[in-house]
Amino acid sequence: MADFRVGRLEQGQTKIRNVPIAVTPEGFWCCPSPAVLQKSLKNHNHQSKSKVSSPLRSRASSLHRTATSTADKKTHSGSLGSKVVSDDQRCPTSDAAVPAAVSPASVPERPSERPPKPNVDNPQRKVSVGFGQPETSDLKVMLFGKEGICVRMSVHWNILAENSSFFADKLAVQSPVPWLEVADCEDVEIYVETVGLMYCEELKHKLIKQSVPRVLRIIKVAESLGFGACIKSCLDYLEAVPWAAEEEESVVSSIRRLQNYGASPLLKRVASDLSDPPNDTLAHIMELVLKSNEDRGRREMKPLVLKLLKEKNIWTNGSVNICIELFYSSCRSCMESLLDLFRRASRPGFSDKSLDSKDPVMRQIALEADNLIWLVEILADRHAADEFAVLWAGQQELGELHSKLPIMSRHLVSCITARLFVGIGKGEILPPRDTRQLLLQVWLQPLVDDYSWLQHGCRSFDRKVVEEGIGQTILTLPLEDQQSILLSWLGSFLKVGDNCPNLQRAFEVWWRRTFIRPYAEHQGINLQSDKS
């Protein structure tokens, strides 16, 4: 609402029609439903279009409406109760007739002014609403909405002054005030509903079954009217009702400024009193996930926690280093546990034990390897996996014990190596050259040994991505190291074929660097010498 006027209400011709309204338990008439106001506006737009497109249809419709209006007037002429009516009236559009939009508090009151003269060029739909006992109404409030709808409310001076500081200030200027006018009202529908709530004793009960977005609209209007009881009831409602995920930000932004009305309990739903990120809580969550032995729980919670950790808003202030150190502490613990399990499984006589004796060890190896795959995924997403590559390249004993375990028990360990090669090949992980050399030296052969099993027994294994990562990692090394690794690969590939990584693209690059580039550079030097 932008413009506010005080004056005497003039009677105009009104076409009355029946509109359903409800009666509260207290005996007051409620405001019309949202559908009533929306239907009035839609009917008005439809009628305006009909007048432009078809003069004959417009004339017939006008005659029909006139007859209907006359019949309706006769039907309701003896009614003493409050009613909702809709009018076709001409409303002002000229600058001289409609005052400029200003704040309600800054508009001077001019009791002697009359409402603007009707303008035949801009028809506007009018809806009349009655509150309380209609025969005792001593005040009219005119709402002019921005969407072309006008609402005349028959209200009571004492009700508005008692519940609204805004109306109390306006009505205190002159008493009695026959009418008030609010122009450029942003939300006529909710404005009418909020005024209707002033007539209710149990406001909170009236909000039951309302949607959260609608209650937020009511709060906005109630705040502009200084309707404190309504604001408090709306906050109580929002405190008790669940919020949808898409509604949460709207609720928080709307109530943050209402601290004087007791909005703090609502804000505690989304924010704690702690100023620092709850690192202890994150550590506890990580421990629960890493220590879980239940397959379904781990399978569902690991992707969820990974997705939530990828949200950048949790990595703020000094929490980054603390969280990274937490992850690396878990990595070291898992690597130590994995090495201990490999030692136990590779001891003489372990393979001769019963399945019941071996199964817990093998299962724990799979769990620890899966934990490390998950941790390196988290670190790679944060571009913080360089140190993990250093730690994994240093697991030389683990690499030597790898071949002593059955392939079905050890293959997940090779998935850790594959993920590191993929990260290095994509530039996500940037370990130093010595680490890359050691990583290939310790872990490439175990990966080749498990390659056939990985292709057929691991659903998440992407052969092309892994082969590209291995090749790119090899090509980052000095040319002599590239030659040593690729010639060793060539011997394996010619023996086992598809059971070995296909590094032909890397081999081609190495070939050109070794045989073609020196020749091309030599030719270029000779050409330059000839020119000189």
Side-chain angles (χ1 to χ4, degrees), residues 32-300:
S33 67
V36 173
L37 298 179
Q38 294 299 328
K39 184 176 180 180
S40 298
L41 181 57
K42 290 180 180 179
N43 289 343
H44 165 59
N45 294 335
H46 175 71
Q47 291 168 4
S48 299
K49 292 180 180 179
S50 300
K51 291 178 182 179
V52 174
S53 61
S54 176
L56 294 177
R57 184 182 303 174
S58 176
R59 188 176 299 111
S61 299
S62 177
L63 293 174
H64 177 71
R65 284 198 303 271
T66 303
T68 303
S69 174
T70 304
D72 287 342
K73 286 183 179 180
K74 292 180 180 180
T75 303
H76 293 85
S77 60
S79 174
L80 296 177
S82 172
K83 55 183 174 290
V84 178
V85 296
S86 129
D87 313 74
D88 285 333
Q89 290 189 351
R90 308 293 183 177
C91 289
T93 55
S94 64
D95 295 338
V98 180
V102 294
S103 170
S106 63
V107 179
E109 295 77 8
R110 290 176 288 182
S112 60
E113 288 195 11
R114 294 175 176 267
K117 298 284 187 180
N119 187 333
V120 296
D121 296 330
N122 183 23
Q124 191 171 38
R125 192 71 167 176
K126 176 178 286 186
V127 178
S128 296
V129 185
F131 295 98
Q133 301 297 329
E135 64 274 11
T136 63
S137 173
D138 54 5
L139 179 64
K140 299 292 187 294
V141 177
M142 303 292 295
L143 299 180
F144 294 93
K146 294 183 177 181
E147 296 182 351
I149 188 169
C150 174
V151 178
R152 181 180 64 188
M153 298 190 295
S154 300
V155 293
H156 298 76
W157 187 95
N158 61 324
I159 297 294
L160 268 61
E162 180 181 350
N163 290 278
S164 167
S165 60
F166 171 75
F167 282 119
D169 293 341
K170 299 303 178 183
L171 296 174
V173 176
Q174 179 181 353
S175 181
V177 177
W179 69 278
L180 303 175
E181 180 182 312
V182 179
D184 295 329
C185 184
E186 294 183 359
D187 199 341
V188 173
E189 174 189 336
I190 298 300
Y191 200 109
V192 173
E193 182 173 350
T194 304
V195 172
L197 291 174
M198 296 182 186
Y199 287 79
C200 302
E201 293 182 359
E202 296 294 337
L203 295 181
K204 187 176 180 179
H205 293 167
K206 301 301 177 185
L207 299 174
I208 294 176
K209 296 184 179 180
Q210 294 278 19
S211 66
V212 170
R214 189 172 185 85
V215 172
L216 293 178
R217 292 165 63 191
I218 294 175
I219 285 181
K220 184 177 180 181
V221 174
E223 185 182 6
S224 67
L225 293 178
F227 189 4
C230 182
I231 296 175
K232 183 64 170 62
S233 296
C234 289
L235 292 177
D236 291 342
Y237 168 84
L238 292 173
E239 196 280 329
V241 75
W243 308 336
E246 62 273 11
E247 296 170 347
E248 185 169 299
E249 288 302 321
S250 298
V251 173
V252 173
S253 61
S254 298
I255 67 177
R256 197 178 292 278
R257 65 181 182 275
L258 301 175
Q259 299 287 345
N260 295 335
Y261 293 95
S264 298
L266 279 79
L267 296 175
K268 288 184 178 180
R269 183 185 295 193
V270 297
S272 66
D273 296 332
L274 299 176
S275 57
D276 297 327
N279 294 310
D280 292 341
T281 303
L282 178 58
H284 184 59
I285 293 172
M286 296 291 294
E287 182 180 5
L288 290 174
V289 175
L290 293 172
K291 298 299 182 183
S292 173
N293 292 321
E294 207 284 318
D295 291 337
R296 180 181 177 184
R298 291 165 55 88
R299 187 171 59 251
E300 294 187 1

Side-chain angles (χ1 to χ4, degrees), residues 402-403 405-408 410-415 444-456 461 499:
H402 187 272
S403 60
L405 270 66
I407 189 171
M408 64 179 298
R410 74 191 190 204
H411 72 279
L412 284 178
V413 175
S414 292
C415 288
L444 180 57
Q445 189 57 48
L447 176 60
V448 172
D449 295 341
D450 296 345
Y451 207 73
S452 176
W453 187 278
L454 291 173
Q455 293 181 75
H456 302 97
F461 188 80
N499 292 329

Side-chain angles (χ1 to χ4, degrees), residues 301-345:
M301 288 308 300
K302 280 188 174 181
L304 175 60
V305 175
L306 177 61
K307 182 187 74 171
L308 296 175
L309 286 172
K310 287 183 177 181
E311 294 183 1
K312 305 297 187 267
N313 54 355
I314 75 164
W315 306 89
T316 56
N317 301 327
S319 65
V320 176
N321 293 334
I322 297 175
C323 292
I324 296 300
E325 182 56 37
L326 170 63
F327 299 144
Y328 272 111
S329 176
S330 300
C331 289
R332 295 185 185 94
S333 176
C334 290
M335 287 183 187
E336 292 174 0
S337 176
L338 189 61
L339 178 58
D340 181 66
L341 292 166
F342 263 65
R343 288 170 178 166
R344 292 168 56 185

